[in-house]
Amino acid sequence: MKQIQLHDFNGGIHPNENKIQSTTLEILNANIPEKLILPIAQHIGAPSNPVVKPGDTVLKGQLIAQGEDFVSCNLHAPTSGTIGEISLQPVPHQSNMTATSIEIITDGKDKWLEHSGLENYLNAEPEQLIKLIQQAGITGLGGAGFPTHVKTSIPASKIDTVIINAAECEPYITSDDMLMREHSQEVIRGIEILCHILKPKQCLIGIENNKPQAIEALQQAIDKLESNAYHIQVASIPTKYPSGGEKQLIQILTGQEVPNGGLPADIGVLLQNVGTAHAIYQAIDKGEPLISRITTVTGDACQQPRNYRVLFGTQVKDLLAQANTNLSKVSRLVMGGPMMGITLQDTNTPVVKTTNCLIAASKHELPDPAQEQACIRCGMCTQACPAQLLPQQLYWFSKSSNLEQAKAHNIGDCIECGACSYVCPSNIPLVQYYRFAKGEIRQANADKLKSDGAKKRFDTRTARLEREQAEKDAKRKARSEAAAKKQAEKKAQEAANPTPAADSNTVAEIDIAALQKKLDATKLGIEKSKTKLAEAIASDSDKVEILQGALEKAQTKMKDLALKIAQAKKASKATPEATDPASETDPLIALKEKVLAAKTRMEKAQERLNMAKEQNLDTVDALQMGVDKQKAKLDAAQKTLEEASQ
Amino acid sequence: MKFLNISSPHATRAGNTGNVMRRVILATIPGIIALTYFFGPGHLIQIALATCVALVCEAAVLKLRHKPILFNLMDYSAVLTAVLLALSLPPYAPFWVTIVATSFAIIVAKQLYGGLGQNPFNPAMIGFALVLVSFPVAMTTSWSAPSELLENGISFGQALELIFSSRETIDAYTMATPLDVYKHQVGIETANEILANPIFTDTSSPATATGWIWVNLAFLAGGLFMLFKGLFTWHIPVSLLGTMGLLSLFIGWDSDQYVPLSLHMLAGATMLGAFFIATDPVTASTTPLGKIIYGGGIGILIYVIRTWGSYPDAVAFAVLLMNFAAPFIDQYTQPRTYGHKTATRGLAKKD
Ligand code: SF4
Ligand code: SF4
């Protein structure tokens, strides 16, 4: 086998590894907690759509939320139980936000849904395998959680090299390490399946040389293969953070850089995390969807750091409790690694598909940030930056909100690895400054887009109005001409043969019917856009404003139509020819109907109010006002009825 | 319970700016020892004096600017400026020279520009240049002869007296520096005649200056220590010494006409300048390529001024001139960012 030529990447740091603590014990299945909280958006892409309702019973492995789109991901029940509420719950996010989550009250039986894997994946077409991966709800388990079926759907002809990311360069995290040590054959099997889909010329497993056992295990598993058709090879790389960054690992193993603004596929590379490969194995060979993962639980406050196989949705507090964590000793609770992880505030937050590590850090190991000093332009940050940026320049530009220059200095290429902050002797939280500047740039772009859009909308609107006005004028002219002509004809006709006037009643009826139809359609549209709007608000989408605008427009349209119908009706009634005594309703009956209608309306309003009160919504006041109004109307209607009937 | 809410990275390397500055100060110790051994205790007194003045000035300005005093003093930047300035000054310069130079360095060259990190010019060199231009006599007559050439050397008491009170006896101790001597004699004498002067060591080839050679080697050792500790990168000192060396090889190969290479390298403030002054991060270029250009520029300027200018040593002016250029150099030497075909050059255009 040919020696793999390794390349170095610029910069990088060597923080304390702190990996030994959690590798002394084997992987343990975490307890099944009483309830699981499963956010419907654990991946990049559209949130999935719940397909269960509260009260449903589910089996382990049963689909509970369906991927909304192609770029979305299925979600399955990690164990058997009953669906609790579907509501907003804290999710892993730096901003401590909440998001829609499905609760499962577990029954402890852990009863599987009937499932089976493929007998021999080699007989399956790649499309079929991708479909199975999609059904299993697999996302990248390493970092951002990109749906795996999307990534693997790239045309196989584009991929020369498949790289398996097993570098695990962040301190503390050992979940991939332990997975490879204990399940190396399954991992290799998953990699083979991946290669079968993508047909690469070579497949490299990039792994930092601080994991000799894992390297050994993988090598043995590879040696056991009957045929290594895709040249799967272990590449032991020097330990240096962030060698596990996608771009850096590609650079180390291929010597090539992912072009700016491009994808690894542009240089014929596809990268998958080693945990993802294992999940693929489970989905294809065993037919098991992705419902659990290996998570490292570590940190000084944790009495026995180790790796657990954790069901998704397990709340952090349950996991910490199982690991005997002294919560009073925890000063910082980090989900992910110490370089790029997020801090948690709420131990109710669940473990999700991307949770590779949980650090219950004491004040001693992750001290509170030191006071920021002046930048002395020492350039240590420049030396550490793997993206070959000039962090200190970015810092000055970010600090002064000089976004133009920050962009020109390629702030967008910063991978937020934190190497610069790590080395900075002045303890400047550089990455925080960059995040701020990036946010500002995003905001500025969005604003620009919006104002550009608004201008465009304004222009099209003016053009449309002008056109409509012109059309109207033309029509009016035509009409008046036609009317004049008709008048003349009529006169002539009348003079010739006096007959009753044209049947204007039918015309009016047809008009009304058409209008009614339009009205109905508009109403339907409004309903639809209302639900869309609600969804958008729930997912914090930026479409909210647009949808709101559309809704308002539809509503005015509806009002217009209703008005027109009423007018048309009036007109048709007013037409003397239409006055049909039979259809003339008795005023008393009409009034009674009115009262009845008012009553139902009021009951409905009351019902809504009660519901709102129960759920303690803040719409109670508004609804109360509505009920009062309806009541007043009802009273008025009753009064008129009484007066009329006397 | 309340956990810390902070975004990544969570791990940072221990230490602060003070550690960096202290290490640089530490690295000057071999040089200080050599200077004291060969030129008497003058520098020790100057360092103490300059440090006190620097700290007082710094504290006063910090107070005026309503900045935390102790926190900022603890970054040791004022102390480092004082030490480097004192090492550049002649050992027996009168006290008021030191006070003027130091206070100007701290108050004007550093704090008036916004304090640490904001000053475009190396404060120590501004202070040095100011007194060099303003008090040329005091500055050129205060270098002592190497103590080997003095009968009894210079005692601490004598040193104090020279610096603080009577300068009547100063002529007994002082002497022109080797670079000065060579430069002025080379027009009249041959190399061998010049080197007969006892301030040069006997071995005429290669020419070296008594005492100075050890001083420079000591600063070189301190510089290598810092390089090893990663306090700066190799770029500036290597390109500075490299250009100086090349120039004196190509232009000054004839030691009967020009100061020879060995004296350029191992006399005067060359090593102090190359490793301690040109590498001052605040005022130097920060990009890898920029540092090479910056260091090379200083090397050229030192050679040019030493050879054709009116000053025998030129580190201060060379550094200050390149300080001017550093921001500009930085803009045009940005490294190529990962994944980009070419590097950005210059600042973004305003549209
Ligand atoms: S490491 Fe810190 S102090 Fe040094 S240049 Fe970078 S930002 Fe400035
Ligand atoms: S966080 Fe950004 S600027 Fe800092 S080292 Fe990483 S890539 Fe470079």
Side-chain angles (χ1 to χ4, degrees), chain A residues 12 241-242 248 381-382 384-392 394 411 413-421 430-431 434 438, chain B residues 9:
Chain A
Y241 178 84
Q248 281 64 45
C381 47
T382 310
C385 179
Q388 284 150 271
L389 296 167
L390 294 173
Q392 83 274 32
L394 294 179
I411 193 168
D413 287 278
C414 165
I415 56 172
E416 297 184 18
C417 67
C420 50
S421 301
L430 294 165
V431 185
Y434 308 151
K438 283 180 177 179

Side-chain angles (χ1 to χ4, degrees), chain B:
Chain B
M1 77 220 70
K2 185 88 183 79
F3 303 134
L4 198 60
N5 186 10
I6 193 171
S7 64
S8 67
H10 306 288
T12 50
R13 191 157 59 183
N16 52 38
T17 316
N19 294 61
V20 174
M21 301 289 175
R22 276 200 300 275
R23 273 200 217 160
V24 180
I25 294 170
L26 206 71
T28 58
I29 288 179
I32 295 174
I33 292 173
L35 278 172
T36 309
Y37 180 82
F38 289 105
F39 299 99
H43 279 111
L44 292 179
I45 297 166
Q46 300 289 11
I47 289 172
L49 176 61
T51 305
C52 294
V53 174
L55 286 175
V56 170
C57 291
E58 177 108 331
V61 182
L62 286 172
K63 185 149 173 62
L64 282 177
R65 294 178 66 200
H66 304 292
K67 301 253 177 190
I69 295 176
L70 199 64
F71 174 73
N72 281 307
L73 286 187
M74 287 309 282
D75 66 26
Y76 281 82
S77 59
V79 180
L80 179 60
T81 301
V83 170
L84 293 180
L85 179 55
L87 290 176
S88 312
L89 289 173
Y92 301 100
F95 68 95
W96 43 269
V97 165
T98 314
I99 292 176
V100 169
T102 316
S103 51
F104 193 77
I106 297 291
I107 297 174
V108 178
K110 181 181 173 191
Q111 292 291 355
L112 282 194
Y113 279 103
L116 181 60
Q118 311 272 5
N119 48 307
F121 301 107
N122 188 322
M125 289 304 102
I126 289 271
F128 180 81
L130 174 80
V131 289
L132 185 60
V133 176
S134 313
F135 316 118
V137 179
M139 288 295 283
T140 45
T141 58
S142 301
W143 268 104
S144 68
S147 30
E148 292 168 32
L149 305 182
L150 298 172
E151 247 165 66
N152 303 314
I154 303 175
S155 73
F156 199 77
Q158 284 166 324
L160 281 177
E161 196 187 328
L162 284 176
I163 294 172
F164 288 101
S165 57
S166 152
R167 295 177 63 78
E168 272 154 25
T169 56
I170 192 126
D171 288 346
Y173 304 104
T174 59
M175 215 177 248
T177 60
L179 281 176
D180 205 3
V181 171
Y182 207 109
K183 181 176 169 153
H184 286 111
Q185 300 299 321
V186 80
I188 334 166
E189 297 175 331
T190 63
N192 282 337
E193 285 166 348
I194 303 170
L195 292 176
N197 188 320
I199 56 167
F200 300 102
T201 31
D202 299 339
T203 49
S204 52
S205 175
T208 48
T210 316
W212 282 102
I213 174 172
W214 292 107
V215 169
N216 272 284
L217 288 177
F219 279 122
L220 173 64
L224 293 177
F225 161 78
M226 291 195 290
L227 198 58
F228 175 71
K229 284 282 174 191
L231 294 180
F232 52 74
T233 56
W234 56 267
H235 305 79
I236 293 177
V238 167
S239 80
L240 190 158
L241 297 174
T243 42
M244 259 180 81
L246 284 179
L247 282 176
S248 63
L249 275 182
F250 283 111
I251 297 173
W253 53 270
D254 181 2
S255 57
D256 287 334
Q257 288 188 37
Y258 294 103
V259 179
L261 173 65
S262 54
L263 278 183
H264 268 305
M265 290 291 163
L266 296 173
T270 307
M271 291 300 168
L272 177 69
F275 285 94
F276 291 84
I277 289 169
T279 54
D280 164 44
V282 177
T283 54
S285 183
T286 54
T287 65
L289 178 61
K291 285 187 211 167
I292 292 181
I293 297 175
Y294 175 83
I298 295 177
I300 294 173
L301 285 170
I302 292 180
Y303 188 83
V304 168
I305 299 174
R306 276 186 183 176
T307 310
W308 296 291
S310 54
Y311 290 99
D313 205 346
V315 173
F317 292 116
V319 167
L320 288 176
L321 282 171
M322 287 312 285
N323 283 168
F324 263 116
F328 179 78
I329 296 174
D330 272 359
Q331 294 312 331
Y332 283 87
T333 52
Q334 294 175 38
R336 182 189 59 86
T337 308
Y338 180 105
H340 288 249
K341 285 214 179 64
T342 53
T344 322
R345 292 280 177 257
L347 285 172
K349 297 220 172 51
K350 290 259 180 307
D351 43 23

Side-chain angles (χ1 to χ4, degrees), chain A residues 426-445:
Chain A
S426 296
N427 296 309
I428 303 173
L430 294 165
V431 185
Q432 274 96 323
Y433 280 104
Y434 308 151
R435 286 202 191 96
F436 164 77
K438 283 180 177 179
E440 294 275 288
I441 290 173
R442 257 197 306 274
Q443 188 58 44
N445 285 348

Side-chain angles (χ1 to χ4, degrees), chain A residues 395-468:
Chain A
Y395 157 70
W396 292 110
F397 296 138
S398 303
K399 199 174 176 180
S400 55
S401 275
N402 191 345
L403 303 181
E404 275 312 304
Q405 301 305 345
K407 270 196 282 188
H409 282 68
N410 301 326
I411 193 168
D413 287 278
C414 165
I415 56 172
E416 297 184 18
C417 67
C420 50
S421 301
Y422 178 84
V423 296
C424 176
S426 296
N427 296 309
I428 303 173
L430 294 165
V431 185
Q432 274 96 323
Y433 280 104
Y434 308 151
R435 286 202 191 96
F436 164 77
K438 283 180 177 179
E440 294 275 288
I441 290 173
R442 257 197 306 274
Q443 188 58 44
N445 285 348
D447 286 351
K448 182 156 188 307
L449 223 72
K450 218 167 160 188
S451 66
D452 284 358
K455 182 162 184 319
K456 217 163 148 196
R457 276 201 299 281
F458 177 76
D459 288 348
T460 30
R461 184 164 177 273
T462 329
R464 179 173 53 82
L465 287 181
E466 274 168 9
R467 201 184 55 232
E468 279 175 3

Side-chain angles (χ1 to χ4, degrees), chain A residues 289-305:
Chain A
L290 183 63
I291 51 170
S292 66
R293 68 159 297 138
I294 296 170
T295 301
T296 309
V297 184
T298 181
D300 272 0
C302 176
Q303 274 179 18
Q304 185 45 70

